[in-house]
Amino acid sequence: MSSLVFAKLVVIFLIVVVGWLAARLRWLGSGDPGRTLASAAFCIFVPALLFRTSARADFDQLDLRLLLAFFLPALALVAGVYAAERWRAARLRRSGHAGASLPAEPAVRAFSASFGNAVQIGIPLAAALFGESGLALHLTLVSLHALVLLSVATTLVELDLAGERRRAGSRSHLLRMLGSTARNTVVHPVVLPVLAGLAWNASGLPLPTVVDELLVTLGQAVVPLCLVLIGISLATYGVRGAVRGAVVVSVLKLLVQPALVFAAARWGFGLGGVKLAVVVMMASLPVGSNPLLFAERYRTLQAEASAAIVFSTVAFVVTAPLWLALLHPAG
C-alpha cells in the first residue's frame, strides 16, 4: 500500500478521534449533537453533493461494461443481504422473539455491506496505484456510486416502513399508504436531488457559476462532517452488542463484494488490465460514511454502522494488498 493511501487512513482515524473526543468532553453541548449533525448532513450537505454530481455527470463518456461489472454485483449483494435480513426478521416475528428487528434494519445493513469509501480512500488509492487513466475510470464509478446505491436503499427502507405502518393500521387505507410511500420515496433528501440533477442534466443547461460554487462549498463539508459523526456515534452508542454485525458487514464489504465484482468483470464482461483492477479495488474499499448517515436517519443500527466503518477501515490495510496480489497474475 502506498504511503499516500496510508497517510489518508491515518488522517481519517484522527478525525474520527476528534469526533469521539468532542462527544466525550461535551464540546458540542448536551443533548444529542450526533442527531443534529446527521440531519444537517443528510438534509443539506449530501443533497447538494448529489445534485451537483448528477447535474454535471457526462453520461456519454461512461463505459457501460465498467458500470455493469461494478453495479450488478453490488446490487446483487444488496438484494441478497436485504432478502436474508427480511427472512430472519419474519422468522423472529412469527416466533414472537423479543429481539425482533426494526423495519429499517434490512435496508440499513444491506446498504452498509455494499457502500464503500470511494472518495476519502478510493481516490488517493486509484491515483497512487493506477495513475491518471485509472483515476478517471474510478471517478466514472464514483459519479454514480451514491446515486445508485443510496437511491435503492432509500426505496427499500421506505417500502418496509410503509409495510410496517400498514400492518399496524387498517387494510382499508392501502391506497393512501401506497401514495404516502411513493411520496416519501421521491420527496426525500437523497432521491429528490438526484432526480432534480438528472432533469437539469437532460436539459443541457450549465449550472450558473454562483450556484455551482454554492454546491461545491456545501458538498465539501460532507467528508469531514461524516468522519466527525463516526467518532460521535462511537462515543454515544459504543460497540457493545454491535461487534458481530459489524464484523459480518466488514467481511461482506471487504471480501464478498470484490469477489463478486472480480468474477463479473473478468468472466462476465471480459475486463482486464487497468479496468479490471480499478473496478475490483473500488469494490474492495472499506465501508463508507454514508451508511452511518443512513442509520442515523432511520434510527437503526447506528452502533453497528459506526463499528463497521472503523473495523473495515483497519482491516483494509490487510485486505487491499491481498486483492492487489490476486489482480497481478490476472493482468
Side-chain angles (χ1 to χ4, degrees):
M1 181 176 293
S2 72
S3 58
L4 176 62
V5 176
F6 185 78
K8 285 286 185 181
L9 291 173
V10 172
V11 169
I12 285 172
F13 281 118
L14 290 176
I15 298 176
V16 170
V17 170
V18 169
W20 185 85
L21 287 173
R24 298 291 293 182
L25 300 177
R26 298 187 180 277
W27 290 348
L28 302 178
S30 57
D32 191 354
R35 288 291 302 168
T36 302
L37 290 179
S39 297
F42 211 79
C43 297
I44 299 174
F45 302 111
V46 170
L49 181 64
L50 292 176
F51 176 83
R52 184 175 186 270
T53 301
S54 54
R56 290 169 54 90
D58 187 358
F59 294 106
D60 293 334
Q61 301 299 317
L62 297 181
D63 186 332
L64 185 58
R65 289 190 308 155
L66 191 76
L67 297 178
L68 292 176
F70 177 80
F71 284 109
L72 287 182
L75 292 174
L77 179 62
V78 169
V81 174
Y82 175 76
E85 290 298 314
R86 283 290 305 271
W87 176 81
R88 187 178 71 89
R91 188 183 63 175
L92 291 175
R93 191 163 49 244
R94 286 195 300 268
S95 65
H97 195 279
S101 63
L102 297 172
E105 281 190 20
V108 170
R109 189 166 281 140
F111 183 51
S112 297
S114 62
F115 192 89
N117 192 333
V119 176
Q120 301 105 300
I121 298 177
I123 289 178
L125 180 75
L129 295 177
F130 311 122
E132 196 171 313
S133 61
L135 178 59
L137 295 173
H138 177 80
L139 292 176
T140 297
L141 296 170
V142 171
S143 68
L144 292 174
H145 186 221
L147 307 185
V148 173
L149 295 180
L150 258 176
S151 298
V152 169
T154 297
T155 302
L156 292 176
V157 76
E158 290 295 341
L159 288 173
D160 283 344
L161 291 175
E164 183 68 17
R165 290 192 293 268
R166 183 164 60 88
R167 280 192 295 271
S170 171
R171 296 184 64 88
S172 62
H173 298 123
L174 177 59
L175 291 178
R176 187 168 58 188
M177 192 71 68
L178 290 174
S180 175
T181 303
R183 184 176 64 254
N184 291 340
T185 303
V186 174
V187 185
H188 188 278
V190 168
V191 178
L192 188 58
V194 171
L195 295 177
L198 292 175
W200 189 282
N201 193 313
S203 72
L205 297 173
L207 286 172
T209 303
V210 174
V211 174
D212 189 52
E213 186 62 29
L214 172 65
L215 296 174
V216 168
T217 304
L218 290 174
Q220 287 173 340
V222 171
V223 171
L225 185 59
C226 289
L227 293 177
V228 168
L229 185 60
I230 292 168
I232 292 175
S233 180
L234 287 172
T236 303
Y237 303 109
V239 296
R240 182 175 298 178
V243 171
R244 181 178 178 181
V247 169
V248 171
V249 167
S250 298
V251 170
L252 290 171
K253 184 67 196 70
L254 296 174
L255 299 177
V256 176
Q257 187 179 23
L260 293 174
V261 169
F262 180 86
R266 188 176 186 195
W267 296 299
F269 296 97
L271 297 182
V274 173
K275 287 187 176 181
L276 175 64
V278 167
V279 76
V280 171
M281 293 311 296
M282 170 76 171
S284 74
L285 293 169
V287 178
S289 53
N290 273 333
L292 177 56
L293 293 181
F294 200 69
E296 286 281 5
R297 167 80 177 180
Y298 293 103
R299 303 193 181 194
T300 303
L301 300 177
Q302 297 98 317
E304 180 180 303
S306 303
I309 293 168
V310 174
F311 292 174
S312 63
T313 303
V314 173
F316 182 69
V317 177
V318 176
T319 59
L322 293 178
W323 284 111
L324 288 171
L326 176 66
L327 287 166
H328 183 69

